[in-house]
Structure formats: structure tokens, C-alpha cells
Amino acid sequence: MATTTKNAVPDAGDWCGADPFAPDFRDNPYPALHRLRTADPVNLTPVGTWRISRYADVADVFKNAKTSQTLSDGTAPNFDPLDQRGSFLEFMLNKDGPAHRRLRNMAMQSLGGAKTVRQMESEVQQTVTQAMDQALAQGGMEIVEDMASLVPSRMMCHIMGVPLADRPLFNEWTAARTNAFFARFLPPEVQQRTRDAGVAMADYFEALVRERRAKPGEDLVSALIRAEEQDDSLGDVELAVQAIGIIIAGYETTIGLISNGLRALLDHPDQMERLRQEPVLIRNAIEECLRYDTPILFNWRVLAEPWEVGGRVLPADAVLWMMLGSANRDPARFPEPDRFDIGRQDVAHQAFGGGVHFCLGNQLARMEARYALTEFAQRTAGMDIRQGDIEWSHSFFRVMAKLPITFH
Ligand code: HEM
């Protein structure tokens, strides 16, 4: 955690009791985030970045500030400089302006449209039904493996056109690779594991791009190649990085949504019961799950010009960490923010980020969670569910590795 970004004033920085890299932060980050938002809502951290933690400020920066994803010298503020192969430097999330628009448009047709969501629906439905059949027969399930990761991993294999047998590879790689987004600040052993996963994923996806160039199909990689061939400016490496980025963005986060959402419902039996009685609340329930325990606690922006936030003018090249998890629990925006209420009105959260980088897969994620949570609400009715011990994943996102439950 020693490295600082170039605009840093490290001596002045303070974690304010909310160090996002501390091991205990993940168990329950919300008390610490409340302290941070109250004590220092525009917080200079010890590593020289600024944490923006009030809902109104986060929304304002996303909507109105002139920002970039990189520093003015083109470097990435949070990435590990030694992380080269499979690096997100070329991924759309790290790009600005026309370069970003082009990559986003290329992926949009395969991911963003209602058609893709419709196409994937029956597969998702079938997956969750089978998972629940098996769990009911066995008297319980391990929620992460048997439901929360099963659903998005099958969907991503389908979207990418890769064999289901490769699912275990993605499980391991994607969890490790999420750390790349803030790897500069992580311990050396985590950095190394992240780099190794980057190399393995680059090998796999660059080979896949070569294969699909020779023999195109109906999958996302072939669609990216077709879009790219119209002006021929992306190489195999850049194409592979889009596929890697999308698989990580679409897989890990959805595990978080389904498992954190189910955990919230199990922790609040009255809300689970309400969902059973009023299934039409499912869409609102998903939004409340995204607000209440969001899979990505923070993302980033770099100021392209000075900007006033929370009464402070921050300079150009200031690195902002947008504290989505804090914004979503801001009492100035959400009354009783720590209450989980699937009927909550006006639940417009920040879980999918904002502005031009707003999550491209939000509809897919919402659809997957809708089926998984509905299956639970409807088919475990009248049953006691006992939770076992939680284990957190080594993902950078807010994702569990294990959440066992038994039915009684
Ligand atoms: C609950 C699940 C998900 C959450 C919480 C989530 C969250 C996010 C966040 C916070 C960002 C960054 C936005 C920003 O910087 O403003 C993002 C970007 C992105 N997400 Fe998601 N995501 C989810 C699911 C998915 C899925 C299922 C896919 C695709 C299959 C996907 C694809 C992407 C892509 C491609 C970007 C980059 C967009 C760009 O740079 O223009 N995400 N997501």
C-alpha cells in the first residue's frame, strides 16, 4: 500500500477508520462508510486519492464533471504497472471519448440489447429450476456454487461460445482478475496472483480470437471481430482484452448480486415472506438488493479539469474513488438507509456506476437475479432455512466464496 498516485499529498491523507484494503472491511463495510461520509465526505486518502462518499456528490461527478479514466499522461492511476498481459489498459472501461464509444458500441449489440436478454432468459430459467430441484432433493445448497455463480457462468459461456467444461477456469481467473482494477494498492502476493491470472486469461482468449477469426460463430467474440473488421484497427490482443473485461464484469458482479441479495432476504425473513406474497415486487426487490449490499463498493474517475465537490475544489488529475456502497446508504438520499425494504420507493442506487461508462450488462444482471431470487421465494415457501458460515472470496468485489444453507 506504499505506492502513491502522482497528485498525491500522502502525509495529509487519512483512511478515517475506513481502510478498504483492511481485512475486516469486507465483513461489514457499512459502519465504516457511514463514519467516513459523516466525518470527511471528500476524503484525501493516505495513497493520495480522493474518496467521494455522499450520494449527491457521486451523482454530480458522474453526471457533470469532465472526467477521464486515466491521468493526463495516459497512465492508469490504480493499476499495477507490472500487470501487462491481459491488462485492462485497453478495455473499454479504461478508455475515454471516441476510443471508448467505439469499443462500447462494438459490445453493445451483443450485450446491451433487449434481444440478448430475451435470448438468455430461457437458459437462465432452466438453470435456476434445475439448481433448485437438486437443492430440494438434497435438503440444502451452497448458494454461491450451486446458484449464484452457476447462473452467470453458464450465461457467460453461452455468450462467449465456450464449453461449459471451462467454467472452473473462469471461476478461478475472474475472482483473481477483479483485483487488477485497484492492484497498485494491494499486497505483493495478491498482485502476483492477479498478474498470473491475466497471463492465463490472455493465453486463453487470444487463442479464442484466432480460432473465431478462422471460423466465426454467433458468439460475442465473433461479433466483436465482425464489428472490428469493418475498419480493421484492433488487433487480437485488444479484442481478447474486451472479452476478458466483459467476462469479469459480467460474471463476478452477478455472483455478488445474487448471493448478497439472497443473503439479505434470508437475514430478513419478513421481506422474503413479502416477496412470496407479492411476487410482483421482484423488480423492486432486485433494486433494493443492489442498493443495500452492492457488489462493487467503489469505482474511479480522474478529473480532466478542476472541479468543486462538497465545497472543495479538487485539481485536474485528482483521482476520485467513487464510493458507490456509501452513496447507496446515504441517509440524505435514502431514509433509514440500513433498513432492507423490498417495497422501498425511489430506490435509484449507484450500483451500476454512471455517465458514459454506466454498466453495459445491467439488464442481463437484473434478469438473472430476477429468476434466481424468484425461484427461492416461490419454491422454499413454508420451509425453515438455516445459514451456515460465510466465506469471502479473494475477489476485489463484494462477493462471497461460500454461503451454505440447509432446509428444515
Ligand atoms: C450486478 C451485476 C453488475 C454490477 C453491480 C455491475 C457494475 C458495473 C460498474 C460499477 C461498472 C463501472 C461503471 C462506471 O465506471 O461508471 C460497470 C461497467 C461495465 N459492466 Fe457491469 N455490472 C454488473 C453486471 C454486468 C454484466 C452482466 C455485464 C456483461 C455481461 C457487464 C458489463 C459491463 C461492461 C462491459 C462495463 C464497462 C462499460 C463501459 O466502460 O462503457 N456488467 N459495471
Side-chain angles (χ1 to χ4, degrees):
M1 222 170 291
T3 322
T4 57
T5 51
K6 80 175 200 182
N7 65 325
V9 192
D11 292 344
D14 182 358
W15 288 121
C16 266
D19 176 353
F21 307 107
D24 59 350
F25 185 74
R26 184 135 57 161
D27 287 339
N28 181 4
Y30 298 108
L33 289 174
H34 281 313
R35 274 197 304 277
L36 172 68
R37 189 189 325 100
T38 309
D40 195 11
V42 179
N43 162 245
L44 177 60
T45 72
V47 295
T49 60
W50 296 88
R51 286 189 294 182
I52 313 299
S53 55
R54 286 191 296 221
Y55 184 99
D57 293 337
V58 168
D60 183 46
V61 169
F62 278 149
K63 189 157 173 250
N64 300 315
K66 197 160 174 234
T67 62
S68 167
Q69 295 301 92
T70 52
L71 295 163
S72 53
D73 63 6
T75 57
N78 306 311
F79 297 177
D80 160 16
L82 298 179
D83 184 22
Q84 291 293 325
R85 282 207 63 217
S87 158
F88 290 124
L89 284 171
E90 299 302 324
F91 183 44
M92 69 180 88
L93 187 52
N94 205 46
K95 297 282 183 192
D96 304 321
H100 165 254
R101 271 197 300 281
R102 175 159 180 269
L103 294 170
R104 188 171 165 107
N105 287 341
M106 281 168 67
M108 182 91 85
Q109 289 143 12
S110 304
L111 287 182
K115 191 167 150 230
T116 314
V117 177
R118 272 198 309 277
Q119 278 171 350
M120 294 312 308
E121 264 190 275
S122 60
E123 173 156 348
V124 168
Q125 189 170 21
Q126 211 180 3
T127 305
V128 302
T129 306
Q130 281 168 2
M132 187 55 78
D133 287 347
Q134 200 178 342
L136 291 173
Q138 290 172 352
M141 68 160 59
E142 197 286 283
I143 281 186
V144 179
E145 172 65 23
D146 301 338
M147 181 67 88
S149 85
L150 181 71
V151 176
S153 65
R154 288 186 67 133
M155 193 184 80
M156 291 316 298
C157 286
H158 186 123
I159 287 180
M160 294 287 165
V162 300
L164 284 177
D166 289 354
R167 278 184 51 225
L169 294 175
F170 299 136
N171 283 346
E172 194 45 43
W173 291 340
T174 55
R177 268 325 268 171
T178 55
N179 290 290
F181 289 110
F182 288 88
R184 188 181 287 259
F185 311 104
L186 295 172
E189 66 278 11
V190 181
Q191 290 180 331
Q192 190 54 53
R193 195 166 62 210
T194 309
R195 288 177 211 141
D196 293 345
V199 172
M201 287 193 96
D203 284 346
Y204 183 99
F205 281 96
E206 285 167 22
L208 190 68
V209 169
R210 286 194 295 274
E211 202 182 286
R212 297 291 150 79
R213 274 200 200 279
K215 195 163 173 269
E218 290 307 309
D219 54 277
L220 178 112
V221 174
S222 303
L224 290 175
I225 292 170
R226 271 197 294 278
E228 177 268 337
E229 277 170 350
Q230 287 166 14
D231 59 9
D232 200 25
S233 57
L234 282 191
D236 290 2
V237 172
E238 287 94 336
L239 281 170
V241 166
Q242 305 315 309
I244 294 170
I246 289 167
I247 211 160
I248 291 163
Y251 181 28
E252 278 295 301
T253 48
T254 312
I255 304 176
L257 169 57
I258 296 175
S259 55
N260 298 353
L262 278 171
R263 181 182 170 210
L265 283 166
L266 295 172
D267 282 347
H268 299 85
D270 60 320
Q271 297 301 305
M272 180 70 105
E273 191 48 37
R274 189 164 176 203
L275 187 56
R276 288 185 176 121
Q277 301 303 328
E278 299 177 68
V280 340
L281 280 179
I282 185 63
R283 285 177 194 268
N284 209 64
I286 302 295
E287 301 312 304
E288 177 68 345
C289 291
L290 283 160
R291 182 198 72 80
Y292 182 77
D293 204 3
T294 193
I296 299 187
L297 286 172
F298 56 103
N299 65 344
W300 82 99
R301 292 291 187 267
V302 178
L303 287 181
E305 54 189 34
W307 184 258
E308 186 180 329
V309 52
R312 275 178 117 135
V313 179
L314 303 185
D317 258 358
V319 177
L320 312 189
W321 289 356
M322 311 295 288
M323 305 307 287
L324 311 176
S326 164
N328 288 347
R329 296 273 191 128
D330 184 347
R333 177 65 182 76
F334 301 105
E336 294 184 77
D338 296 328
R339 192 163 55 84
F340 178 66
D341 173 5
I342 64 167
R344 184 183 285 277
Q345 298 297 302
D346 189 15
V347 64
H349 53 74
Q350 297 286 352
F352 290 122
V356 293
H357 291 278
F358 184 78
C359 175
L360 200 50
N362 69 88
Q363 291 302 333
L364 279 171
R366 286 170 158 138
M367 179 272 287
E368 293 174 87
R370 214 157 54 230
Y371 280 103
L373 269 52
T374 298
E375 188 75 11
F376 245 86
Q378 296 308 319
R379 292 188 68 198
T380 63
M383 201 184 277
D384 259 357
I385 301 173
R386 186 177 300 159
Q387 285 187 48
D389 288 339
I390 289 169
E391 208 179 283
W392 289 101
S393 141
H394 56 256
S395 166
F396 191 72
F397 297 164
R398 188 163 169 71
V399 173
M400 287 174 275
K402 282 195 174 31
L403 175 59
I405 54 161
T406 44
F407 303 142
H408 293 278

